[in-house]
Amino acid sequence: MTAAEETQQGQVTATALGPWPGQDPLEAIRSIRGELGDPHLPYLAELPGRGVGADAIGRTASLLVELAVDVQPHGWRLVDRPGRDLIRAKSALSTDINVLADVAGEEDSPASEFKVQLRGPLSLAAGLHLHNGERALIDYGARRDIAASLAAGVGEHLARVGGAVPGARLVAQVDEPDIASVLAGTIPTASGYRTLRSVPGQEVSELWRVVVDALHAAGAAEVVISVPEIEAPFERILAAGADGIAVPLKALTSRQWEQLAEAVEAGKRLWAGVLAVDNPAAEPAKAGEAADAVWRPWRQVGLPATELRTLRITPTGGLDGFTPSGATAVLTRLTHVADALNQLALG
């Protein structure tokens, strides 16, 4: 472990989850790097405001190997050959990485860590459609193929990002926003009249492990799976070999906190979604209040203050609903929350 890694793992840090407002990747990366300097975790922003191909499904689908996609009236569909929408998604991602390289090349103090986000295989399968219009999630073989294709594509992606930020420790965030519905069998069919059969929990862990292992093999020093708090399958995340869990804290039950405490004690990292961002017009919680929302349950489950160093502080969701200045202010507040927790950790 390098000295920089020891420093970062010895204190609470801040990051955000990916989506950013606007259409300008240069403005986005400069804002993110300006607020999330060391020891915090900057990241390659997603700009869904750019339209088709910049959305989370299209962006991740552009990484797939030997699987092509295009946009149809019902959404992204697996197709026989690449179409213009896939080309657009690949081009946007390449532009973002090139801009990142330009910004990083101008910095006096390069980032020691850097994060990428991608849609996880289950939520990706829920968002992609087969030739018949049904969701790929319905088909066991399609689920396997998508996970394997994504695993095959992450190596080149991490290599390109790593080349843009030489020497940075790479962190990967795997987003599974639909996982509760996938496990519960409540994802609607294409017709909307039925729901798709639930995916067994064991298969979920296996598909996650395919991608997690590929990310580790590609050089990711930390792989975290991000899920909503409702019915969050923490045990499945840990079974998949992930290094940590990213989850909003507000609605967690006592039992879920106990599960998180066990994970922290086992050496896993917690990315705590403490700053609510569902209403961009509302004033973000004060740093002390947000820190207390972590500190109280942390102590209630018996975790020591010294273990706060495993935390990364995040918003509860993406920042694409904000103005660029508003999103930047959220990053500033996140670093203040991290500072407040570091003071608590010091006693």
Side-chain angles (χ1 to χ4, degrees):
M1 184 181 298
T2 67
E5 289 173 354
E6 290 177 353
T7 297
Q8 285 155 340
Q9 294 191 11
Q11 59 186 305
V12 183
T13 58
T15 191
L17 299 179
W20 189 266
Q23 302 180 30
D24 186 347
L26 179 59
E27 178 186 48
I29 191 58
R30 282 180 172 168
S31 297
I32 291 166
R33 283 294 294 137
E35 297 302 322
L36 298 180
D38 285 346
H40 304 296
L41 180 61
Y43 57 95
L44 189 65
E46 301 166 359
L47 301 170
R50 285 188 293 190
V52 172
D55 58 291
I57 294 294
R59 193 170 174 89
T60 302
S62 75
L63 305 178
L64 297 176
V65 173
E66 296 184 357
L67 287 180
V69 297
D70 208 357
V71 174
Q72 304 294 322
H74 49 265
W76 286 96
R77 189 177 75 171
L78 293 164
V79 293
D80 294 330
R81 60 183 59 87
R84 62 182 181 181
D85 298 314
L86 179 57
I87 293 170
R88 184 184 303 174
K90 287 179 177 289
S91 176
L93 185 55
S94 291
T95 295
D96 291 352
I97 295 173
N98 291 338
V99 170
L100 170 63
D102 291 341
V103 172
E106 298 171 352
E107 294 180 333
D108 294 328
S109 299
S112 58
E113 287 191 306
F114 200 82
K115 176 170 72 74
V116 296
Q117 308 83 218
L118 54 103
R119 187 57 58 101
L122 280 306
S123 295
L124 187 60
L128 293 176
H129 298 262
L130 302 172
H131 289 274
N132 63 6
E134 192 51 84
R135 296 178 189 274
L137 188 70
I138 197 173
D139 184 88
Y140 172 81
R143 297 194 296 266
R144 292 277 173 175
D145 289 347
I146 287 170
S149 178
L150 181 58
V154 296
E156 181 182 353
H157 181 50
L158 259 64
R160 293 175 66 197
V161 173
V165 284
R169 176 181 185 266
L170 295 180
V171 176
Q173 170 191 317
V174 180
D175 294 322
E176 287 285 8
D178 300 321
I179 194 59
S181 298
V182 168
L183 287 165
T186 57
I187 297 282
T189 59
S191 69
Y193 293 119
R194 296 183 296 111
T195 57
L196 301 181
R197 181 176 299 175
S198 63
V199 177
Q202 182 62 35
E203 183 187 340
V204 167
S205 290
E206 290 171 357
L207 295 182
W208 279 345
R209 180 171 283 280
V210 168
V211 176
V212 169
D213 286 352
L215 286 164
H216 281 143
E222 183 179 338
V223 180
V224 168
I225 296 179
S226 175
V227 295
E229 68 271 36
I230 305 302
E231 302 298 329
F234 297 149
E235 71 287 349
R236 294 295 170 195
I237 293 174
L238 300 179
D243 302 299
I245 295 166
V247 64
L249 299 189
K250 184 176 180 181
L252 289 183
T253 65
S254 297
R255 173 58 186 148
Q256 286 178 310
W257 263 107
E258 290 168 1
Q259 290 177 307
L260 289 175
E262 292 171 3
V264 169
E265 289 169 345
K268 302 299 183 180
R269 296 201 72 160
L270 172 59
W271 292 21
V274 299
L275 210 61
V277 291
D278 51 330
N279 181 8
E283 178 70 20
K286 291 182 172 58
E289 294 173 355
D292 190 55
V294 180
W295 179 243
R296 281 185 290 103
W298 189 268
R299 298 295 286 162
Q300 286 169 0
V301 293
L303 286 169
T306 53
E307 288 300 314
L308 283 171
R309 61 185 175 80
T310 65
L311 279 174
R312 292 198 197 272
I313 301 303
T314 78
T316 56
L319 304 180
D320 47 314
F322 287 73
T323 63
S325 61
T328 301
V330 170
L331 297 187
T332 303
R333 187 63 57 89
L334 288 169
T335 63
H336 292 168
V337 176
D339 289 343
L341 284 165
N342 281 318
Q343 291 301 313
L344 290 170
L346 292 171

